[in-house]
C-alpha cells in the first residue's frame, strides 16, 4: 500500500480557511467551527496497486485485493467450506476442490447464481463474496462414461490390449 499526500477540496457553502491560521487547503470554516473535508484530519489518501498495474484509491469498505474469502461449496450430499483469495479464478477453486473431493477439475461443473461458470472467470468479478454458496456438480457426460466403463468390467482409463498375429 502506498500513501500519498494530496490537497483536499471541500464542496458546499463553506469558506476555505486560507487566512486565520489554517493548516493548508483541507479545512473549512463555518461560523466559529472548523471542519475537515471528508471527516478525516490527516488529509492522506490511501492508494493500492491492482493486479493489472493500475494505481487506484483504496476503497474504505469492501474486499481488498488478496483478501481471503470463505466459499461454501455444496455437493449433492455434503458441504465444504473453502478459503481462497477473492481474486482467484474458478479453475483455481476447482483445483482446491479436487483435493477435498475425489473429482478431477475437468469432471467438475461449478454453478454460481444459477449459471455455470467458466474456468477463466474471476470470483470477485462474478460477484462471489465471503460466505457465498457455489454448487458443485459432476459433469454428466463423464459420469455416464464411468458408469459404462464399470458395467463392462473394465477399469476406467485403461486401454485395451492389442493382439498382433
Amino acid at each position: 500500500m502506498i500513501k500519498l499526500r494530496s490537497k483536499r477540496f471541500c464542496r458546499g457553502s463553506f469558506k476555505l480557511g486560507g487566512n486565520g491560521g489554517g493548516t493548508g487547503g483541507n479545512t473549512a470554516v463555518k461560523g466559529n467551527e472548523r471542519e475537515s473535508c471528508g471527516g478525516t484530519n490527516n488529509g492522506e489518501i490511501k492508494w493500492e496497486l491492482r493486479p493489472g498495474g493500475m494505481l487506484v484509491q483504496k476503497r474504505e469498505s469492501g474486499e481488498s485485493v488478496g483478501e481471503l474469502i470463505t466459499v461454501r461449496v455444496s455437493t449433492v450430499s455434503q458441504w465444504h467450506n473453502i478459503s481462497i483469495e477473492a481474486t482467484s479464478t474458478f479453475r483455481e477453486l476447482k483445483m482446491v476442490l479436487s483435493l477435498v473431493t475425489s473429482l478431477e477439475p475437468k469432471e467438475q461443473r461449478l454453478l454460481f447464481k444459477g449459471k455455470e461458470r467458466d474456468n477463466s472467470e474471476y470470483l470477485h468479478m462474478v460477484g462471489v463474496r465471503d460466505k457465498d454458496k457455489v454448487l458443485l456438480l459432476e459433469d454428466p457426460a463423464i459420469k455416464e462414461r464411468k458408469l459404462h466403463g464399470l458395467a463392462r468390467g473394465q477399469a476406467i482409463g485403461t486401454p485395451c490390449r492389442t493382439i498382433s498375429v
Side-chain angles (χ1 to χ4, degrees):
M1 179 174 63
I2 301 170
K3 291 185 179 179
L4 300 174
R5 294 194 64 115
S6 65
K7 286 190 172 187
R8 292 191 151 193
F9 298 100
C10 296
R11 288 186 163 201
S13 61
F14 301 115
K15 294 180 185 177
L16 290 178
N19 321 1
T23 59
N26 63 347
T27 306
V29 179
K30 184 176 183 180
N32 293 334
E33 299 177 8
R34 290 185 166 268
E35 296 180 8
S36 175
C37 297
T40 59
N41 293 330
N42 58 8
E44 291 183 8
I45 298 175
K46 295 180 182 178
W47 298 88
E48 67 180 349
L49 189 64
R50 291 283 170 93
M54 184 183 292
L55 185 67
V56 295
Q57 186 175 354
K58 187 171 177 131
R59 297 183 194 120
E60 294 298 322
S61 62
E63 297 171 355
S64 63
V65 175
E67 183 179 340
L68 284 177
I69 60 172
T70 302
V71 179
R72 297 177 59 201
V73 180
S74 170
T75 61
V76 176
S77 60
Q78 297 176 346
W79 284 92
H80 302 284
N81 290 326
I82 306 295
S83 294
I84 193 166
E85 285 189 18
T87 56
S88 300
T89 61
F90 278 92
R91 175 179 286 121
E92 293 166 351
L93 180 60
K94 284 182 177 184
M95 294 296 282
V96 173
L97 284 169
S98 68
L99 299 173
V100 177
T101 64
S102 61
L103 295 174
E104 291 295 318
K106 64 181 181 179
E107 299 173 351
Q108 299 174 9
R109 293 176 59 193
L110 292 177
L111 283 82
F112 178 68
K113 290 189 176 178
K115 295 180 183 175
E116 183 176 358
R117 298 301 174 171
D118 190 36
N119 286 340
S120 61
E121 290 183 286
Y122 290 92
L123 298 174
H124 71 285
M125 296 298 282
V126 172
V128 178
R129 304 271 184 238
D130 193 30
K131 303 266 193 302
D132 276 354
K133 183 172 70 170
V134 175
L135 185 62
L136 170 65
L137 298 175
E138 187 175 359
D139 190 6
I142 294 176
K143 189 175 185 178
E144 189 174 331
R145 272 189 243 141
K146 280 183 181 180
L147 290 174
H148 284 304
L150 292 175
R152 285 189 228 143
Q154 285 181 304
I156 299 171
T158 56
C160 298
R161 286 187 172 173
T162 305
I163 302 172
S164 61
V165 180

